[in-house]
């Protein structure tokens, strides 16, 4: 009888694990990190679809989130962006206030010495929205990460 109890417990644990695999449990998304000097902030994706393209309507919502991680950069200073290898392998784009900053996708895990110009007449000293997007071919986006960079 004593050998049945451990076997029953082991069987219950296996059944519990199998039951959980059928649930819709959110997995953590790949991280993106912004670094300036000795300060860094990181975030999971605002939207992410591991196996396909995010719906267009949802992408719009993701691009317009307002409660974002914020980092302060000295005027004339720079910051860097680090992405998980999974994002780099697929390629990613860098946007400032929704405008692309590179001609083609970036395929590295680290993009450095990014400088911002503050004081554009229409924005004043408002924070700049920095977005990392992972395209899904020509069809749309697989992931969207967003931060605010403000003048220190």
């Amino acid at each position: 009888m004593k050998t049945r109890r451990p076997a029953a417990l082991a069987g219950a644990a296996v059944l519990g694990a199998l039951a959980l695999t059928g649930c819709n449990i959110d997995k953590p998304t790949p991280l993106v990190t912004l670094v300036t000097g000795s300060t860094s902030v990181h975030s999971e994706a605002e939207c992410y679809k591991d196996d396909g393209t995010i719906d267009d309507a949802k992408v719009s919502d993701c691009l317009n989130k307002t409660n974002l991680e914020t980092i302060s950069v000295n005027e004339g200073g720079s910051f860097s962006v680090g992405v998980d290898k999974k994002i780099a392998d697929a390629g990613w784009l860098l946007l400032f206030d929704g405008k692309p900053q590179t001609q083609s996708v970036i395929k590295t895990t680290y993009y450095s010495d990014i400088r911002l110009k503050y004081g554009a007449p229409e924005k004043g000293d408002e924070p700049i929205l920095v977005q990392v997007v992972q395209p899904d071919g020509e069809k749309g986006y697989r992931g969207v990460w967003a931060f605010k960079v403000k003048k220190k």
Side-chain angles (χ1 to χ4, degrees), residues 1 52 63 102 130:
M1 284 270 195
L63 291 171
T102 57
V130 174

Side-chain angles (χ1 to χ4, degrees), residues 78-91:
S78 67
F79 69 96
S80 302
V81 177
V83 302
D84 276 6
K85 186 170 177 4
K86 185 174 186 175
I87 300 168
D89 288 347

Side-chain angles (χ1 to χ4, degrees), residues 8-126:
L9 287 173
V14 169
L15 287 176
L18 287 174
L20 285 176
T21 59
C23 296
N24 187 13
I25 297 174
D26 291 339
K27 297 187 299 184
T29 67
L31 292 177
V32 171
T33 305
L34 266 57
V35 179
T36 183
S38 61
T39 304
S40 68
V41 293
H42 64 271
S43 180
E44 288 193 32
E46 300 301 320
C47 293
Y48 187 75
K49 190 163 185 181
D50 196 30
D51 58 351
T53 303
I54 303 167
D55 297 337
D56 287 341
K58 188 163 181 155
V59 168
S60 181
D61 290 341
C62 297
L63 291 171
N64 294 311
K65 298 269 182 165
T66 57
N67 187 20
L68 304 172
E69 292 290 334
T70 302
I71 194 165
S72 297
V73 178
N74 289 324
E75 187 164 8
S78 67
F79 69 96
S80 302
V81 177
V83 302
D84 276 6
K85 186 170 177 4
K86 185 174 186 175
I87 300 168
D89 288 347
W92 56 282
L93 299 168
L94 180 65
L95 293 85
F96 294 169
D97 290 329
K99 296 177 184 131
Q101 299 300 303
T102 57
Q103 296 291 329
S104 58
V105 295
I106 302 165
K107 292 271 199 168
T108 61
T109 58
Y110 196 70
Y111 192 76
S112 64
D113 201 29
I114 303 164
R115 297 186 186 277
L116 298 174
K117 293 182 181 171
Y118 293 99
E122 66 276 4
K123 287 200 57 109
D125 285 338
E126 278 184 48

